[in-house]
Amino acid sequence: MLNAVLRKSFSKSACRRFASSTSLSSENHYDIIVAGGGMVGSTLACTLSKNPILSNRKILLLEASKEFNWKPTEKYSNRVVALNPNTRKLFEKIGFWKHIENVRYSPVCKIQAWDALSESMISFDSNNHVDEVAYIVENSLILYAANIENQSLHNLNIINDAKIKSCNLAIHEDEEIQVELENGASYTCELLLGCDGVNSKVREAMGVQYVGWNYKQMGLVATLNLSEDTEENRIAWQRYIPTGTIALLPLNTKQSSLVWCNTNENIKQLLKLSPEQFVDELNSALWKQYEKNDIVNQATKCLGSILKTLDAPANIMQQLPPSICSIEESSRAAFPLGFGHAANYIRKGVALVGDAAHRVHPLGGQGVNLGFGDICSLDEILGNAAYSGRKLNNLLDLRKYETARQRHNVPTMLALDGLQKLYTTDFTPVVLLRSLGLQLTHALTPVKRAIIEQASH
Ligand SMILES: Cc1cc2nc3c(=O)[nH]c(=O)nc-3n(C[C@H](O)[C@H](O)[C@H](O)COP(=O)(O)OP(=O)(O)OC[C@H]3O[C@@H](n4cnc5c(N)ncnc54)[C@H](O)[C@@H]3O)c2cc1C
């Protein structure tokens, strides 16, 4: 709110008053260096460059890969993300959304998740006080939109094929941060923002504690052709099976995108199958009737009756997911899944953003949304700092960013990790507890609203 007021009242004279104190004479010196130009780094660079209070700051974006030349084609990319409504707001503000809208995206009006080992399910839809719960967008399309917007920014310099070899962080007050590339080039800055993903060089240089583990699972993605043309393919489906989760994310009336999380061994086998065999396996995993435990069945039925008498939605009325007829050629690919969290996101003159700071299991579709949430917070805090005449590397300001984001990210990450663990067992007491929990959550509208709100920030 404060930032919005500041942005409106910010005048050109104020821009001059807070002109960068850095040595602009040195062409390799920048006020801000963004390390890593993935979805998070490219968006962060654009957001800060477009912040009117920071418009006189020199920003450099360093990305290891070659220039991004992707152009939209009729064929969908196999990598998509489910963006939350807050991410859409950010994209609208910085001009990405119009490019995405011009190409394509798929709004999700309902999410239905259900347990293969019991009758319990949960759904989130527009009745839970939001019009659309998520938007499915191709990763490449986000980068494409970022590319168009970033190219027009006078205060942003982008260097591709620029792999960071090392970062020398400032120890004393007046020292600059130095970033050295593998090709020998080097740059200095007042503020270094690490958006260089899970194996972040910036995080390594900070020497922060990092808690991480591998789920011994992979996420298999593919573009699926549905058996029937579904006029309203607006539902995201997620089935919890004993070996992991299967999610179908709508793309258009005939296609959905798959994220199948399963053990490393199973995924390796699934990748080896012919397309026809793979489709059979997938349909079987989506539709297979697992033997249900009597105790769990009785308990969920009993809870269902109690909820009915209380006039709460007693669920059980599941909608049926679509079945799959084929997959797009060569669209299968798999990615290792892990958890990771940096105990500190900041130190003087440095901050971690996106997967460099936190990595989650994709079962809740939250990973990159957390990164976009980091961007909103950092944009506001740095804007306020610059407006008040403070340096961008001010530790107290960066601390505000860390506190705000960890307060949001840590509970979300723990909830996702808990869900992952809860749903990869067929141990009856756990199945019983999670089924009753899911059923209760489904019935309690305020709880569902709270979950949607947490997932949207
Ligand atoms: C199967 C799967 C499905 C997912 N689905 C969803 C979803 O539905 N919703 C969601 O919110 N999230 C989802 N995620 C998570 C999401 O993909 C990640 O959170 C997101 O990609 C992280 O973006 P990032 O920019 O922080 O990191 P990255 O995408 O890892 O980008 C880091 C960038 O830094 C560059 N880089 C790395 N090292 C260097 C270096 N030394 N020098 C210079 N540049 C460097 C890299 O080239 C890269 O461009 C999913 C993840 C997986 C695996």
Side-chain angles (χ1 to χ4, degrees):
M1 181 66 188
L2 174 64
N3 204 23
V5 176
L6 289 178
R7 276 168 201 259
K8 273 193 194 144
S9 64
F10 196 71
S11 66
K12 280 189 178 158
S13 64
C15 274
R16 261 178 254 119
R17 184 153 48 96
F18 297 121
S20 165
S21 59
T22 54
S23 48
L24 288 173
S25 53
S26 156
E27 68 178 63
N28 283 355
H29 182 86
Y30 288 82
D31 295 292
I32 302 173
I33 293 181
V34 178
M39 287 188 281
V40 170
S42 305
T43 307
L44 177 62
C46 183
T47 308
L48 296 182
S49 303
K50 286 194 172 186
N51 183 333
I53 309 166
L54 300 172
S55 65
N56 57 338
R57 308 297 172 125
K58 270 177 70 183
I59 300 177
L60 173 65
L61 175 61
L62 294 172
E63 166 54 36
S65 58
K66 298 221 184 303
E67 210 171 323
F68 183 74
N69 287 320
W70 184 86
K71 293 268 178 305
T73 57
E74 210 177 302
K75 194 173 167 179
Y76 278 85
S77 156
N78 58 359
R79 294 297 316 266
V80 306
V81 277
L83 302 178
N84 68 29
N86 262 20
T87 296
R88 176 179 169 158
K89 272 190 212 146
L90 169 69
F91 281 11
E92 279 170 347
K93 188 176 99 177
I94 60 174
F96 286 13
W97 196 253
K98 57 180 182 283
H99 304 298
I100 292 173
E101 227 168 9
N102 277 344
V103 181
R104 62 191 167 205
Y105 72 94
S106 176
V108 176
C109 299
K110 178 172 174 176
I111 297 171
Q112 180 178 296
W114 72 109
D115 190 342
L117 295 186
S118 76
E119 298 291 339
S120 65
M121 59 81 98
I122 190 164
S123 68
F124 299 95
D125 53 36
S126 30
N127 295 333
N128 301 119
H129 304 274
V130 280
D131 293 333
E132 284 153 353
V133 268
Y135 307 90
I136 310 302
V137 183
E138 291 147 280
N139 296 15
S140 313
L141 185 50
I142 295 175
L143 289 173
Y144 167 81
N147 220 20
I148 300 175
E149 286 300 308
N150 284 347
Q151 272 168 10
S152 64
L153 297 169
H154 72 279
N155 55 342
L156 174 65
N157 187 18
I158 303 171
I159 307 183
N160 280 94
D161 213 352
K163 187 159 190 192
I164 296 168
K165 186 173 145 201
S166 63
C167 310
N168 274 329
L169 304 186
I171 298 170
H172 301 295
E173 189 60 36
D174 50 351
E175 274 179 334
E176 285 172 340
I177 289 173
Q178 191 177 20
V179 178
E180 202 189 326
L181 304 189
E182 288 199 340
N183 65 13
S186 103
Y187 303 90
T188 56
C189 63
E190 183 181 330
L191 178 63
L192 174 62
L193 301 175
C195 305
D196 46 348
V198 171
N199 301 311
S200 168
K201 278 270 172 212
V202 177
R203 192 181 68 230
E204 187 186 302
M206 287 165 77
V208 294
Q209 239 187 321
Y210 184 73
V211 184
W213 56 80
N214 198 312
Y215 284 117
K216 297 188 182 136
Q217 277 194 341
M218 290 177 108
L220 187 156
V221 298
T223 307
L224 310 173
N225 299 316
L226 308 180
S227 300
E228 278 170 32
D229 203 328
T230 317
E231 204 45 60
E232 283 294 303
N233 187 17
R234 295 269 182 266
I235 303 180
W237 308 90
Q238 179 149 284
R239 188 179 203 204
Y240 301 106
I241 57 174
T243 46
T245 52
I246 304 177
L248 304 184
L249 308 172
L251 295 176
N252 56 33
T253 57
K254 313 187 263 269
Q255 291 183 304
S256 287
S257 185
L258 170 73
V259 183
W260 188 348
C261 302
N262 207 320
T263 61
N264 292 338
E265 299 71 37
N266 288 349
I267 294 286
K268 277 178 201 150
Q269 291 305 319
L270 288 169
L271 286 170
K272 281 186 202 154
L273 297 178
S274 70
E276 295 73 23
Q277 288 168 327
F278 177 79
V279 168
D280 286 346
E281 281 297 318
L282 176 57
N283 280 324
S284 155
L286 273 173
W287 290 91
K288 181 178 166 180
Q289 289 299 318
Y290 288 83
E291 202 181 318
K292 302 217 165 67
N293 184 289
D294 279 348
I295 302 171
V296 178
N297 255 354
Q298 284 305 322
T300 50
K301 272 193 189 131
C302 185
L303 179 62
S305 318
I306 296 170
L307 290 170
K308 246 187 205 158
T309 60
L310 296 173
D311 224 11
N315 98 58
I316 317 293
M317 283 305 289
Q318 285 181 20
Q319 271 185 267
L320 299 177
S323 67
I324 314 307
C325 71
S326 60
I327 55 169
E328 283 293 296
E329 206 187 322
S330 318
S331 68
R332 265 178 293 174
F335 303 88
L337 305 179
F339 176 99
H341 190 250
N344 294 98
Y345 293 2
I346 59 138
R347 55 172 278 184
K348 188 174 178 298
V350 197
L352 297 173
V353 188
D355 271 25
H358 41 72
R359 177 190 192 195
V360 291
H361 193 283
L363 94 170
Q366 285 300 305
V368 80
N369 287 298
L370 294 180
F372 292 132
D374 296 347
I375 293 175
C376 295
S377 172
L378 201 53
D379 179 44
E380 180 167 2
I381 288 168
L382 291 178
N384 289 347
Y387 186 78
S388 307
R390 292 192 296 278
K391 288 182 116 189
L392 296 179
N393 61 6
N394 186 298
L395 194 57
L396 288 178
D397 286 309
L398 295 178
R399 182 88 59 216
K400 275 188 216 156
Y401 160 71
E402 179 183 70
T403 307
R405 289 316 291 164
Q406 289 198 342
R407 266 190 201 147
H408 177 82
N409 295 345
V410 173
T412 307
M413 296 179 74
L414 293 178
L416 293 173
D417 183 57
L419 272 182
Q420 194 279 334
K421 294 192 164 61
L422 207 58
Y423 279 98
T424 36
T425 176
D426 52 9
F427 183 49
T428 303
V430 179
V431 177
L432 176 65
L433 273 178
R434 75 185 188 206
S435 302
L436 296 177
L438 199 65
Q439 207 174 349
L440 260 180
T441 312
H442 179 69
L444 300 172
T445 309
V447 179
K448 281 211 281 191
R449 204 177 304 148
I451 293 173
I452 288 189
E453 268 169 26
Q454 174 75 9
S456 294
H457 284 87

